């Protein structure tokens, strides 16, 4: 079924009622400075068991966390994409899960359509990392590039990892489909790809910030909007609760949990030191907000709505 017909169907309504589809896939919040506008736009959400990434946490802390944030046995982390429009540039950060990863995700094309942004309008696609919910939307239902006019910007280390034929044998059985799916999609769009290194200015006002651990070449990006900086963190800061409260805790969601924790600590130090806004992919309330440093050394995410 075509995605738009699916969304209009009774099937979609039933999934919304069960919390498996977002009620409205639109921009949640935004920030403007001069001629530039940054929107957080929805691709839907994932549906994951609670223990998929948090089971390794201390039991007492985990119980407190569940009570404080109302976490149930089924987690539905949002997928918040950052869309930057400035003059003749329309920059999208990551491109969503596409139509074949998870029924509750893949809504980005409809979100952009509702906002009046056509796929052909996107001039730059900036990739944080190559997990399914971030890049499987590279191709449309016909295996054609979804963003035909976009220059696709990606960290060289991340590209090299997913395009290495040996990755499928070393990534672990539970992530082998990630490797197959990433390599196939990246190969199709290869002639649109520009590879960059840490610190590169990928478009004017957007700087690459290496944040490995979640994946070997994960990249965050600092966007400058007038006098306000925004850090697009991808999955280096993977949620709005434990990743802020205890960034030093290792996460099973990261391929290298210790390196992922080190990157998280460094990013939050940078965010608070430079008074940056956070644009968080799997962070609640639209993902745009500030990190408040707490007396115990942790942080709190405060959304800006």
């Amino acid at each position: 079924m075509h995605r738009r017909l699916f969304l209009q169907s009774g099937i979609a309504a039933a999934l919304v009622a069960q919390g498996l589809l977002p009620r409205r896939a639109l921009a949640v919040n935004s920030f403007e400075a001069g001629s530039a506008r940054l929107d957080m736009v929805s691709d839907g959400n994932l549906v994951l068991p609670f223990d998929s990434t948090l089971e390794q946490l201390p039991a007492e802390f985990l119980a407190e966390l569940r009570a404080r944030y109302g976490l149930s046995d089924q987690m539905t982390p949002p997928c918040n994409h950052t869309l930057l429009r400035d003059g003749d540039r329309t920059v999208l950060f990551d491109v969503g899960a596409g139509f074949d990863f998870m029924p509750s995700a893949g809504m980005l094309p409809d979100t952009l359509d509702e906002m009046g942004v056509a796929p052909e309008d996107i001039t730059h696609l900036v990739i944080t990392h190559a997990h399914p919910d971030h890049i499987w939307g590279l191709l449309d239902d016909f295996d054609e590039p979804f963003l035909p006019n976009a220059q696709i910007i990606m960290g060289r280390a991340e590209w090299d990892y997913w395009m290495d034929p040996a990755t499928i044998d070393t990534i672990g059985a539970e992530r082998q489909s990630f490797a197959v799916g990433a390599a196939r999609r990246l190969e199709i769009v290869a002639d649109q790809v520009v590879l960059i290194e840490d610190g590169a200015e990928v478009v004017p006002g957007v700087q690459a910030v290496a944040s490995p651990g979640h994946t070997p070449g994960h990249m965050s990006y600092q966007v400058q909007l007038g006098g306000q900086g925004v850090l697009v963190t991808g999955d280096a800061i993977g949620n709005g609760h434990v990743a802020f409260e205890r960034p030093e805790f290792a996460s099973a969601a990261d391929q290298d949990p210790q390196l992922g924790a080190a990157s998280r600590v460094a990013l939050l130090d940078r965010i608070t030191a430079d008074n940056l806004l956070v644009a968080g992919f799997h962070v609640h309330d639209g993902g745009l907000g500030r990190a408040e440093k707490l007396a115990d050394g942790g942080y709190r995410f405060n959304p800006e709505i």
Side-chain angles (χ1 to χ4, degrees):
M1 186 181 292
H2 187 276
R3 186 185 291 107
R4 183 163 296 283
L5 293 178
F6 172 79
L7 289 172
Q8 294 171 349
S9 72
I11 299 172
L15 290 174
V16 166
Q18 297 173 53
L20 300 181
L21 282 181
R23 292 192 175 275
R24 197 164 180 233
L26 291 172
V28 177
N29 47 28
S30 61
F31 182 86
E32 293 185 71
S35 63
R37 177 185 176 99
L38 183 148
D39 288 290
M40 302 301 290
V41 298
S42 177
D43 189 47
N45 62 269
L46 304 183
V47 179
L48 304 170
F50 178 82
D51 61 2
S52 61
T53 60
L54 302 177
E55 62 183 351
Q56 78 286 356
L57 298 178
E60 183 177 351
F61 173 77
L62 194 57
E64 293 174 357
L65 189 78
R66 293 186 69 150
R68 192 156 54 250
Y69 291 94
L71 302 177
S72 68
D73 290 338
Q74 179 174 271
M75 299 182 70
T76 56
C79 300
N80 309 307
H81 292 261
T82 303
L83 179 70
L84 172 65
R85 287 176 282 182
D86 186 5
D88 60 356
R89 290 187 297 275
T90 300
V91 184
L92 180 65
F93 292 80
D94 293 334
V95 69
F99 65 93
D100 58 349
F101 178 58
M102 192 174 285
S104 58
M107 308 300 167
L108 186 63
D110 297 284
T111 305
L112 294 174
D113 183 51
E114 290 284 346
M115 296 176 67
V117 178
E120 295 78 14
D121 296 337
I122 305 296
T123 59
H124 299 81
L125 171 65
V126 181
I127 293 176
T128 63
H129 66 296
H131 275 170
D133 50 331
H134 294 257
I135 72 150
W136 279 20
L138 278 169
L139 305 180
D140 64 18
D141 305 27
F142 301 98
D143 262 8
E144 296 292 332
F146 172 57
L147 305 177
N149 300 327
Q151 182 181 86
I152 299 172
I153 298 165
M154 187 174 183
R156 184 177 300 276
E158 187 73 357
W159 170 274
D160 288 347
Y161 177 74
W162 295 103
M163 296 304 286
D164 183 350
T167 294
I168 192 171
D169 297 319
T170 59
I171 197 172
E174 72 282 359
R175 290 188 170 112
Q176 283 184 335
S177 64
F178 292 10
V180 173
R184 186 177 77 81
R185 288 164 174 83
L186 292 173
E187 184 174 11
I188 291 174
V189 301
D191 61 351
Q192 296 177 248
V193 174
V194 174
L195 301 179
I196 50 95
E197 308 286 351
D198 179 31
E201 185 176 50
V202 299
V203 298
V206 179
Q207 181 185 27
V209 180
S211 48
H214 184 69
T215 60
H218 188 288
M219 196 76 76
S220 301
Y221 297 91
Q222 185 165 329
V223 180
Q224 198 63 35
L225 292 176
Q228 177 63 63
V230 182
L231 197 64
V232 180
T233 63
D235 283 3
I237 299 177
N239 55 63
H241 38 77
V242 66
F244 282 84
E245 291 196 18
R246 287 293 179 266
E248 74 279 9
F249 280 5
S251 171
D254 297 334
Q255 285 182 230
D256 185 332
Q258 299 305 319
L259 183 57
S263 288
R264 209 158 30 251
V265 169
L267 289 181
L268 283 163
D269 284 347
R270 180 180 185 134
I271 287 163
T272 50
D274 296 341
N275 192 31
L276 305 176
L277 282 168
V278 179
F281 191 82
H282 292 307
V283 177
H284 54 272
D285 291 320
L288 187 67
R290 297 188 184 273
E292 176 188 356
K293 186 71 175 285
L294 303 177
D296 64 3
Y299 299 82
R300 177 188 297 121
F301 175 72
N302 293 323
E304 295 221 345
I305 299 177

